[in-house]
């Protein structure tokens, strides 16, 4: 029962996450607004294609998408599968967090971290940016949660943030030095710093391993699918893999 309610709450949070994912990059000046809404709260939800204001019947998570067959009620423009996927993942995230930790602060924090990681993944996937407006609060939140007795001992949290961010920064610095081009975005540095703040330095090798394995698997699949046409210099957006690995590490038993 609790878990069902948690899932419904998660679907609503996923619906809000879709607004953040669509409008955030415009609100934070990362992409052109092109006249589209950029406020996170205002104007109220509207179709991204025709601008028609959406009513309550258009905004029921998952169900509206199915009932409208994935199209805007007013202009028939496709809504995009991302919306329903994020709503379903939102539901899965909150339900899983409550299933693991019950109704508790630990569940709320786990769900919050997972939801932010989900938003970061999709935004990076769609725009190539990991916004400071999400990575920095995630990093700071890990340190604050640790200081309050959640997550890690405070020293571990600080060391994790410094080592996570610092190691990736160094790799990016050396890559740029020797290959003469940007290999790692600053957003990745802050994201691994945030992972370290929540999970401590000992989790970082596992996160790096899982993320790299995921990235390699993805590149392999893409190369295979395109008939070996993909060159390795094709820019790989690493954020979703880093965020995914961090999400997994949040519930992996870590050696201490
Ligand atoms: Zn429309």
């Amino acid at each position: 029962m609790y878990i069902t309610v948690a899932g419904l709450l998660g679907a609503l949070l996923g619906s809000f996450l879709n607004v953040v994912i669509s409008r955030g990059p415009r609100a934070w000046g990362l992409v052109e607004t092109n006249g589209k809404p950029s406020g996170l709260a205002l104007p109220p939800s509207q179709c991204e294609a025709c601008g028609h204001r959406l009513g309550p019947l258009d905004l029921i998570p998952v169900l509206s998408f199915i009932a409208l067959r994935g199209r805007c009620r007013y202009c028939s423009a496709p809504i995009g599968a991302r919306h329903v996927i994020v709503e379903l993942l939102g539901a899965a995230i909150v339900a899983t967090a409550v299933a693991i930790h019950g109704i508790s602060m630990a569940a709320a924090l786990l769900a919050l971290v997972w939801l932010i990681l989900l938003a970061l993944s999709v935004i990076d996937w769609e725009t190539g940016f990991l916004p400071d407006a999400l990575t920095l609060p995630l990093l700071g939140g890990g340190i604050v949660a640790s200081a309050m007795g959640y997550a890690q001992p405070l020293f571990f949290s600080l060391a994790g943030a410094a080592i996570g961010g610092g190691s990736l920064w160094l790799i990016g610095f050396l890559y740029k030095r020797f290959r003469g081009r940007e290999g790692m975005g600053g957003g990745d540095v802050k994201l691994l710093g945030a992972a370290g703040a929540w999970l401590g330095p000992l989790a970082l090798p596992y996160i790096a391993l899982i993320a790299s394995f995921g990235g390699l698997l993805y590149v392999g699949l893409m190369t295979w699918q395109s008939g070996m046409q993909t060159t390795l210099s094709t820019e790989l957006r690493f954020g979703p893999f880093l965020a995914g690995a961090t999400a997994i590490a949040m519930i992996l038993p870590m050696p201490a």
Side-chain angles (χ1 to χ4, degrees):
M1 178 60 195
Y2 284 140
I3 292 174
T4 311
V5 174
L8 293 175
L9 174 68
L12 285 172
L13 290 172
S15 181
F16 171 68
L17 226 49
N18 274 316
V19 177
V20 174
I21 291 164
S22 295
R23 297 182 180 185
R26 303 198 285 259
W28 301 318
L30 299 174
V31 299
E32 297 290 328
T33 58
N34 290 326
K36 289 182 175 175
S38 61
L40 291 184
L42 289 170
S45 294
Q46 61 182 63
C47 170
E48 290 270 303
C50 69
H52 197 291
R53 172 110 174 247
L54 300 180
L57 279 180
D58 304 311
L59 292 170
I60 306 165
V62 185
L63 296 183
S64 290
F65 187 90
I66 295 170
L68 297 170
R69 294 193 187 81
R71 289 180 175 279
C72 169
R73 184 195 302 277
Y74 311 98
C75 71
S76 298
I79 294 169
R82 180 260 281 175
H83 287 83
V84 76
I85 292 170
V86 168
E87 286 163 0
L88 289 170
L89 285 173
I93 281 172
V94 180
T96 306
V98 169
I100 293 174
H101 291 299
I103 296 176
S104 62
M105 186 67 167
L109 289 175
L110 178 59
L112 184 66
V113 170
W114 273 347
L115 288 168
I116 294 174
L117 290 172
L118 173 60
L120 281 168
S121 300
V122 181
I123 290 173
D124 194 21
W125 186 269
E126 292 185 348
T127 69
F129 291 106
L130 289 166
D132 285 351
L134 293 176
T135 52
L136 294 181
L138 187 63
L139 196 162
I143 294 172
V144 170
S146 298
M148 291 171 66
Y150 300 97
Q152 301 296 315
L154 182 57
F155 174 73
F156 263 48
S157 175
L158 293 170
I163 296 172
S167 57
L168 210 48
W169 177 84
L170 188 66
I171 292 171
F173 175 79
L174 292 175
Y175 189 88
K176 196 176 176 189
R177 187 78 194 268
F178 291 109
R179 296 290 300 274
R181 60 190 175 83
E182 212 76 51
M184 197 67 73
D188 296 305
V189 169
K190 291 163 200 155
L191 179 54
L192 195 62
W198 282 95
L199 292 161
L202 298 179
L204 294 169
Y206 298 89
I207 294 171
L209 201 66
I210 298 169
S212 307
F213 182 74
L216 283 175
L217 197 67
Y218 175 78
V219 169
L221 282 173
M222 287 300 108
T223 307
W224 175 70
Q225 198 188 33
S226 65
M228 306 294 167
Q229 298 280 304
T230 312
T231 60
L232 280 179
S233 63
T234 305
E235 185 209 6
L236 173 67
R237 286 172 184 173
F238 201 52
F241 299 99
L242 214 46
T246 305
I248 293 169
M250 290 293 288
I251 49 169
L252 276 189
M254 286 291 159

